[in-house]
Amino acid sequence: MARTLKLRIWRGDDKTGGLQDVTVEANHGEVVLDIIHRVQATQMGDLAVRWNCKAGKCGSCSMEINGKPRLACMTQVAAYPEDETITITPLRAFPVIKDLVTDVSFNFKKAMEIPSLQMPEGLKPGEPRMQQVDVERSQEFRKCIECFLCQNTCHVIRDHEENKKSFAGPRFFIRIAELDMHPLDMLRNRKKTAQEEHGLGLCNITKCCTEVCPEHIKITDNAIIPMKERVADEKYDPIRWLGSKIRRREEVL
Amino acid sequence: MQPRLGRLLLMATGVFSQGRAKISERTLRTDKWWIQPLITVGVLLSFIVYATWRAFEGAHYYAEPLISPFYSPCLSTTCVEGSSLLGTPFGHIVIFGMVLSPAFIILIFPLGFRMTCYYYRKAYFRSFWMSPPACAVAEPHAKYTGETKAPLIVNNGHRYFFYIGLVFNTLLTIDALLAFKNPQGQWGHMSIGTVVLLLNATFLWGYSASCHSCRHAIGGRLRHFSKHPFRYKAWTVVSRLNQKHQNFAWVSLIWVAFSDFFVRMVSLHPTWNKYFF
Ligand code: SF4
Ligand code: SF4
Ligand code: FES
Ligand code: FES
């Protein structure tokens, strides 16, 4: 065993809980999820933790390590100094179920509020054709593994529970952007609803979502800001507004 | 316990909300997360203090052929002779017993451009307003409405400031070209001041070209890049610049202040502006 690790792990449920100290052995090259599994196997048999792939691809093992929202399976133990105590807590923007497991159903509810791709009428399966340059932008957003680290870090809901009802969150702003930029999407009110129903205006582009995204999706630069600009076309640009009144439709470009 | 009740109620939102993991710290981050916002406050405050002082000073902004970017275009009849490129539509304006410095007539435009800039928004929301001060560090505010209400809703009009910014960039470029004159007004000379003003114009063009509104107008608003190959190409170029927007924002800000400082110095000590030829 390469080193002895001091940990503080949050244990509890939605009513009570606190940080518990543990000391555990760590091997060279291990990640925090390995360590949690060792603690589970040797000292805390009932420690609850959600995980699946151990490859940074399923998005299950989101938690906060030394206060930073991260994937436990992608966090090297070696990144922390020998004498440092590593603090591990569940995500702090969602209700906790037990120990490191939180209830992320908020995100599934928000997902359902966004209408899916609406193809042009009469187009049968297999018929749609798109150019690569037209889908490239949307493809970046398809890398999302739904770890919800961005949702968890976004101060709009992390720090203001009351905003949850009116805010879809960064993960769903990239979904809206993906569809609004999609060459075959026929739904024409995505910009308006982004602002009026999904709370795009609550985002103050402080970029924490981008900072924590394990897939390195440029959430703010490539989805949120372009959407804010598209919303400005529709709602805050008097010249464009006049143009759309004359032409009576959202422009298709 | 009683007096603390109010505070507790206030705190019972955000990370302290019911149902969330009971943790008393507002953040468990162990790194120095407060350094970044502190530096931002430091730099922005220094700029604000310097710029305010210079705008009030109302002097030493022109040393033929150099004009300070804080005072260009100089639009008031109080402008020193030779400094007004576009004439002087504004007269002698007195406010609270003080003659209005020509800097204040134009100040609102570059100020508005920077205040509504997507990058500076991040910078000041984090550092001055602490909303949030750093990622996963709870903000101190009990309520938050983002950019949905006045005055912050104005940020949605960033593009207008961007367009006005282009006019300013053009004027400041002309100022830089005029700096190829000597103090006697003859063309074909070049001094340190020429370089300072040329760099100033270059950084400002870089700042504008990398702007998110620019990226949107150039091609970002399109759905079918394949139908607009030229705009697509332009969009890829602007997108690349856009990744450096933060750098352009700081460099151009600092250089504007330095250009002004340099012109002030030359106006006081003309020999400082060494001519290469
Ligand atoms: S940039 Fe906007 S969506 Fe992303 S974390 Fe910040 S406030 Fe939330
Ligand atoms: S956008 Fe990034 S951080 Fe957000 S859920 Fe998807 S992968 Fe996770
Ligand atoms: S276990 Fe799948 S992302 Fe970590
Ligand atoms: S100038 Fe910064 S985004 Fe436009």
Side-chain angles (χ1 to χ4, degrees):
Chain A
M1 291 278 167
R3 69 190 260 203
T4 309
L5 211 60
K6 288 203 287 292
L7 298 179
R8 286 195 302 166
I9 302 180
W10 193 89
R11 305 223 42 200
D13 54 30
D14 58 343
K15 296 199 178 55
T16 70
L19 292 165
Q20 290 184 15
D21 289 295
V22 262
T23 309
V24 64
E25 300 296 310
N27 290 319
H28 189 70
E30 280 184 326
V31 291
V32 170
L33 186 61
D34 292 319
I35 307 304
I36 293 174
H37 282 157
R38 182 159 308 120
V39 171
Q40 206 181 32
T42 58
Q43 307 175 42
M44 296 175 174
D46 61 343
L47 175 68
V49 57
R50 198 186 268 136
W51 70 287
N52 227 299
C53 69
K54 238 203 92 184
K57 281 291 167 255
C58 73
S60 310
C61 65
S62 301
M63 56 185 76
E64 302 194 6
I65 304 171
N66 275 359
K68 286 199 183 177
R70 321 185 56 110
L71 295 179
C73 73
M74 298 304 282
T75 305
Q76 290 279 342
V77 173
Y80 300 91
E82 294 265 341
D83 53 351
E84 187 164 327
T85 304
I86 304 177
T87 308
I88 301 170
T89 71
L91 299 178
R92 291 182 71 182
F94 305 120
V96 68
I97 298 174
K98 184 178 183 311
D99 305 336
L100 301 176
V101 177
T102 49
D103 173 4
V104 292
S105 58
F106 161 80
N107 301 292
F108 306 134
K109 263 193 238 100
K110 292 294 168 182
M112 286 193 291
E113 286 167 13
I114 297 167
S116 53
L117 180 76
Q118 201 176 304
M119 292 277 249
E121 261 177 56
L123 217 52
K124 288 186 212 59
E127 280 181 356
R129 290 288 176 273
M130 291 183 278
Q131 302 287 318
Q132 179 59 29
V133 288
D134 293 335
V135 282
E136 243 154 27
R137 267 198 295 183
S138 313
Q139 277 175 341
E140 177 189 6
F141 310 138
R142 303 294 297 185
K143 291 193 300 180
C144 173
I145 58 171
E146 302 223 296
C147 62
F148 302 130
L149 284 174
C150 56
Q151 302 284 91
N152 168 63
T153 316
C154 179
H155 71 112
V156 176
I157 45 178
R158 182 183 175 94
D159 295 341
H160 304 279
E161 181 71 26
E162 68 283 3
N163 282 340
K164 278 189 178 164
K165 56 184 184 313
S166 45
F167 187 70
R171 191 272 167 263
F172 300 104
F173 294 149
I174 67 175
R175 172 75 177 144
I176 294 169
E178 174 199 334
L179 292 167
D180 201 57
M181 292 171 183
H182 195 291
L184 290 182
D185 182 51
M186 289 294 115
L187 198 61
R188 288 284 169 257
N189 66 353
R190 296 205 190 267
K191 304 168 184 64
K192 204 162 167 283
T193 51
Q195 187 77 350
E196 292 170 6
E197 290 168 26
H198 305 298
L200 186 69
L202 285 168
C203 163
N204 63 355
I205 46 181
T206 34
K207 286 199 174 179
C208 287
C209 47
T210 307
E211 244 175 66
V212 297
C213 177
E215 284 294 314
H216 305 292
I217 300 171
K218 297 267 179 301
I219 303 173
T220 329
D221 284 353
N222 288 347
I224 296 180
I225 296 176
M227 276 318 291
K228 283 200 177 230
E229 284 293 314
R230 283 165 179 240
V231 167
D233 280 349
E234 290 298 312
K235 284 182 68 104
Y236 302 108
D237 191 326
I239 297 171
R240 288 215 189 286
W241 176 82
L242 208 67
S244 73
K245 282 286 155 238
I246 295 164
R247 264 177 272 130
R248 289 175 172 280
R249 62 181 167 86
E250 258 192 28
E251 268 180 287
V252 189
L253 293 159
Chain B
M1 283 314 269
Q2 274 311 62
R4 288 188 57 206
L5 196 67
R7 223 181 97 222
L8 283 176
L9 280 177
L10 196 97
M11 279 170 53
T13 179
V15 286
F16 306 112
S17 305
Q18 234 187 355
R20 302 204 198 173
K22 295 254 170 323
I23 298 166
S24 52
E25 287 88 349
R26 55 193 275 263
T27 183
L28 287 165
R29 278 180 68 163
T30 50
D31 56 337
K32 298 189 177 57
W33 54 262
W34 39 268
I35 285 193
Q36 198 55 48
L38 202 67
I39 295 175
T40 310
V41 167
V43 177
L44 283 180
L45 266 187
S46 319
F47 179 84
I48 292 166
V49 169
Y50 176 79
T52 311
W53 166 63
R54 277 293 284 151
F56 272 106
E57 195 179 32
H60 308 306
Y61 51 83
Y62 186 65
E64 190 152 10
L66 309 178
I67 181 159
S68 151
F70 287 176
Y71 284 84
S72 181
C74 207
L75 297 174
S76 148
T77 47
T78 59
C79 294
V80 290
E81 215 191 304
S83 65
S84 300
L85 192 66
L86 300 179
T88 53
F90 293 89
H92 194 89
I93 304 169
V94 180
I95 295 177
F96 300 125
M98 280 196 310
V99 180
L100 185 75
S101 148
F104 283 109
I105 297 170
I106 53 167
L107 190 74
I108 177 75
F109 300 108
L111 186 74
F113 187 30
R114 303 241 172 199
M115 290 287 286
T116 58
C117 161
Y118 286 97
Y119 169 68
Y120 281 109
R121 274 143 81 178
K122 171 191 170 198
Y124 66 72
F125 279 131
R126 280 200 188 192
S127 60
F128 282 87
W129 196 240
M130 297 203 284
S131 132
C135 304
V137 179
E139 59 178 56
H141 311 285
K143 264 186 79 93
Y144 173 86
T145 52
E147 305 190 320
T148 57
K149 296 206 161 76
L152 291 172
I153 199 162
V154 171
N155 282 340
N156 289 302
H158 178 57
R159 54 186 58 184
Y160 284 103
F161 288 104
F162 163 73
Y163 293 127
I164 298 170
L166 296 181
V167 177
F168 274 75
N169 290 356
T170 309
L171 292 170
L172 294 177
T173 308
I174 296 173
D175 290 341
L177 296 176
L178 290 173
F180 281 100
K181 289 183 177 183
N182 65 8
Q184 288 72 43
Q186 290 151 328
W187 285 99
H189 298 275
M190 190 173 174
S191 63
I192 303 179
T194 323
V195 179
V196 170
L197 293 193
L198 274 179
L199 280 175
N200 184 48
T202 311
F203 293 148
L204 288 174
W205 280 115
Y207 177 59
S208 292
S210 60
C211 162
H212 287 275
S213 290
C214 174
R215 188 181 182 216
H216 175 74
I218 289 280
R221 52 194 311 269
L222 302 174
R223 234 180 233 256
H224 291 277
F225 280 152
S226 53
K227 286 190 194 153
H228 306 265
F230 289 110
R231 285 181 75 181
Y232 172 62
K233 184 80 200 126
W235 178 81
T236 55
V237 174
V238 171
S239 296
R240 230 172 297 137
L241 288 173
N242 179 258
Q243 293 173 7
K244 296 268 172 284
H245 188 57
Q246 166 175 356
N247 306 30
F248 280 116
W250 287 119
V251 172
S252 62
L253 184 83
I254 291 167
W255 203 263
V256 162
F258 177 75
S259 306
D260 169 79
F261 172 78
F262 185 80
V263 172
R264 182 172 194 276
M265 281 315 170
V266 174
S267 132
L268 294 168
H269 318 277
T271 49
W272 280 39
N273 192 24
K274 294 260 178 303
Y275 272 81
F276 308 125
F277 52 84

